[in-house]
Amino acid sequence: MTKATVGEALVAGLQARGVTCVFGIPGVHTVELYRGLAGSGIRHVTPRHEQGAGFMADGYARVSGQPGVAFVITGPGLTNTLTPMAQARADSVPMLVVSGVNASGTLGQGHGHLHELPDQHALAKTVALASEHVARPEDLESALDRAFAPFSAGRPGPAHIQIPLDVAGTAAQAGPRDPAAAQPQLDPGEISEAATRLSAAAKVVILAGGGAKRSGANLQALAEHLDAPVVQTVNARGLMHGHPLTVPASPSLQTVRALIEDADCVLALGTELGPTDYDMYATGGMARMAGLIRIDICADQLARHATEIAINACADEAATALLGALPALPKRSQGAVRAAHTRTAALEEIGPEYRAQVEMLNAMRNAVPGALMIGDSTQPVYAGNLYYDHDRPGGWFNAATGYGALGYGIPAAIGASIADPSAQVICIAGDGGAQFSLPEIMAAVDEKLPVTFVLWNNRGYGEIATSMDAVNVPVIGCDPTPPEFGPAAASFGIPYTRVPMEPQAVAGAVREASSRGTPSIVEIEITGSGPGQE
């Protein structure tokens, strides 16, 4: 019997760790990684660009809760994937990028080999939480262990493994295993102190971040027990949809800041308190948070802000413990009244243009209940990030916060659809952002995915144009001509509809497109305006 190669052992190791799908574009430097893939049962999806592979892995991970995996070639394959890795790091998304690298004896020599970088491993280390170089066949298993460690302990993010050309095809050898990473243990004293302070507080406000998005039941029970409004960051939207205590609005809004500053105790679960959520208007600071109690899976993250009580734990486990430590009698502090006032005032604060776009988002949500709604950096997504109540936990996400990579929406929606084949998926992208990744729609065609690509076409980069104009900089480069999306859809072989920006017209088109079970494009044409949002 022929002994497995390192490439085959890699695929077997991924399969043993629960990987069921890989996004990748094969190349001469990854041929050996594909040797074991065909017979493994792992699904392979071919994007049109390595950046698409990374964003697909990101969308897959956000929906499945499992790491998204991308196979890319040496050099340009990896550099093309660094942007998705950075987005994943900013949003704590588990992603594994497996790349080739030039033959061991050539590394660092500068001889000009195909796809050569001065130091590919060092480059990957600047973005990845863990980057592993498999120098010998016996290094593979420990490298896999270390790469997967961030996915099970601490805040997840991107990891990277590179395998030299001269190692990938050699016989695999057993090597040492690294022990499994341990989750932090709850401190009963911290839980008791936090419960005491929350019980004594007159007005509690809860801040929920992406780390709480799989803790919906316990979050709601905790909010109801404390009678506390729950402010959700972008990555927490969909939690407690329609609940009297929910505040699905940006904590950068003055109205929401006022709610937070009025509290005498703030409980923050799974949120890094980053400025793209809490200070998107760049005022130089966040809302004052009295009696701040933070719960986060990452000890380093807890140390980055002044906190009265810092609990190093996953949000769901800590919420369960807090519920058990609180007095049996629920608090009464007019939480629903405070939340309702904030919702009304926040919606007013975002202004008529954004309110019109939120109305359109609401119409799409109601037309296709329980859909995954994935966005790029574009005007309706910015509006929704300021104020929008989605109806599915983890069902609203985009790249307009954190790292803010344009071109994210289309490939991320494809990855999300693969992660949950039963879900309707709506992708919202602008005409500018769509041009970063429009060819990826063909991957949705190949995979027969029920994704509706809603393209907001106002012919330019209006957000940038507005920003330039606001500081008296001549507006240049903000009006790239978009393609004709109807003929583009025809070339993809998928249905196409164009509608005006009217909520019911958009809802009807999206409902019809979603009912087909195939990829479709719905173009929203914006007329009578200058350069538009991305």
Side-chain angles (χ1 to χ4, degrees):
M1 182 183 226
T2 304
K3 190 168 185 180
T5 65
V6 169
E8 290 172 311
L10 167 76
V11 172
L14 294 176
Q15 193 171 28
R17 290 165 174 81
V19 173
T20 60
C21 183
V22 166
F23 304 91
I25 302 175
V28 294
H29 283 191
T30 54
V31 167
E32 286 298 334
L33 304 186
Y34 280 78
R35 185 181 296 279
L37 198 59
S40 68
I42 294 177
R43 181 178 186 177
H44 182 272
V45 176
T46 306
R48 282 10 185 205
H49 189 281
E50 288 93 356
Q51 180 171 280
F55 285 145
M56 287 179 193
D58 178 299
Y60 177 91
R62 294 196 200 217
V63 173
S64 69
Q66 301 301 313
V69 180
F71 276 12
V72 300
I73 64 165
T74 307
L78 180 69
T79 55
N80 284 339
T81 316
L82 286 174
T83 293
M85 291 172 69
Q87 185 72 50
R89 180 157 186 160
D91 286 346
S92 304
V93 176
M95 176 191 296
L96 174 63
V97 174
V98 180
S99 75
V101 70
N102 290 97
S104 303
T106 72
L107 298 180
Q109 300 301 309
H111 290 158
H113 288 276
L114 179 65
H115 302 329
E116 183 178 348
L117 284 167
D119 191 341
Q120 179 175 290
H121 192 205
L123 180 62
K125 282 181 175 179
T126 64
V127 178
L129 296 179
S131 180
E132 300 296 325
H133 176 77
V134 181
R136 305 169 303 163
E138 57 267 34
D139 294 340
L140 177 63
E141 281 298 325
S142 59
L144 280 166
D145 288 337
R146 289 190 294 273
F148 272 78
F151 307 150
S152 58
R155 273 181 178 250
H160 168 245
I161 295 175
Q162 66 177 25
I163 304 177
L165 293 176
D166 58 313
V167 174
T170 60
Q173 297 180 31
R177 296 289 306 269
D178 277 17
Q183 290 278 16
Q185 297 297 307
L186 275 175
D187 183 327
E190 291 174 346
I191 292 294
S192 176
E193 176 64 18
T196 298
R197 296 199 186 193
L198 289 166
S199 299
K203 292 181 180 179
V204 176
V205 166
I206 296 174
L207 308 177
K213 71 180 181 182
R214 301 185 191 278
S215 310
N218 278 329
L219 174 66
Q220 180 171 323
L222 192 59
E224 290 173 348
H225 199 88
L226 295 170
D227 199 21
V230 179
V231 177
Q232 293 126 48
T233 67
V234 170
N235 286 330
R237 297 293 174 82
L239 292 169
M240 297 175 59
H241 170 66
H243 194 282
L245 290 170
T246 200
V247 181
S250 170
S252 291
L253 294 171
Q254 289 301 319
T255 300
V256 182
R257 286 187 170 203
L259 171 74
I260 296 168
E261 293 193 345
D262 187 50
D264 56 354
C265 188
V266 174
L267 174 63
L269 288 91
T271 173
E272 68 177 0
L273 302 178
T276 57
D277 272 307
Y278 291 86
D279 188 28
M280 63 171 291
Y281 297 112
T283 64
M286 299 184 295
R288 180 185 58 84
M289 300 178 187
L292 179 60
I293 300 169
R294 285 194 73 191
I295 297 168
D296 202 282
I297 197 71
C298 177
D300 291 341
Q301 186 59 245
L302 287 171
R304 290 179 182 136
H305 293 277
T307 305
E308 293 204 7
I309 301 176
I311 300 174
N312 186 200
C314 75
D316 202 44
E317 182 184 13
T320 300
L322 280 174
L323 282 166
L326 288 168
L329 190 63
K331 190 184 294 290
R332 292 287 178 264
S333 60
Q334 293 193 309
V337 174
R338 290 185 286 144
H341 169 77
T342 304
R343 288 194 301 269
T344 300
L347 191 57
E348 179 67 23
E349 184 180 339
I350 67 174
E353 184 177 348
Y354 274 174
R355 281 199 300 274
Q357 289 153 37
V358 170
E359 187 179 351
M360 184 182 67
L361 295 174
N362 290 339
M364 284 195 284
R365 177 199 64 206
N366 296 338
V368 190
L372 296 167
M373 206 173 284
I374 294 102
D376 217 319
S377 294
T378 190
Q379 192 170 12
V381 169
Y382 291 144
N385 285 351
L386 284 174
Y387 188 102
Y388 172 64
D389 189 11
H390 198 55
D391 63 352
R392 172 176 175 155
W396 169 270
F397 59 87
N398 55 75
T401 61
Y403 194 61
L406 199 57
Y408 171 88
I410 289 173
I414 291 169
S417 184
I418 290 170
D420 186 354
S422 68
Q424 296 291 343
V425 178
I426 299 170
C427 171
I428 303 173
D431 57 288
Q435 291 181 75
F436 277 53
S437 52
L438 194 65
E440 301 298 353
I441 291 178
M442 284 306 298
V445 174
D446 287 348
E447 301 295 325
K448 300 177 175 58
L449 302 176
V451 181
T452 300
F453 298 97
V454 178
L455 304 183
W456 172 269
N457 187 2
N458 50 13
R459 299 182 171 271
Y461 301 135
E463 179 74 4
I464 309 305
T466 300
S467 298
M468 294 171 78
D469 192 56
V471 292
N472 297 315
V473 172
V475 177
I476 297 173
C478 293
D479 56 352
T481 301
E484 292 295 330
F485 291 113
S491 74
F492 296 152
I494 63 176
Y496 164 82
T497 306
R498 183 166 63 186
V499 294
M501 195 200 114
E502 296 172 359
Q504 294 313 309
V506 173
V510 169
R511 184 186 298 111
E512 182 179 354
S514 297
S515 70
R516 297 188 186 108
T518 63
S520 299
I521 289 177
V522 173
E523 179 183 353
I524 302 175
E525 177 116 38
I526 312 302
T527 58
S529 64
Q533 209 81 1
E534 295 98 41

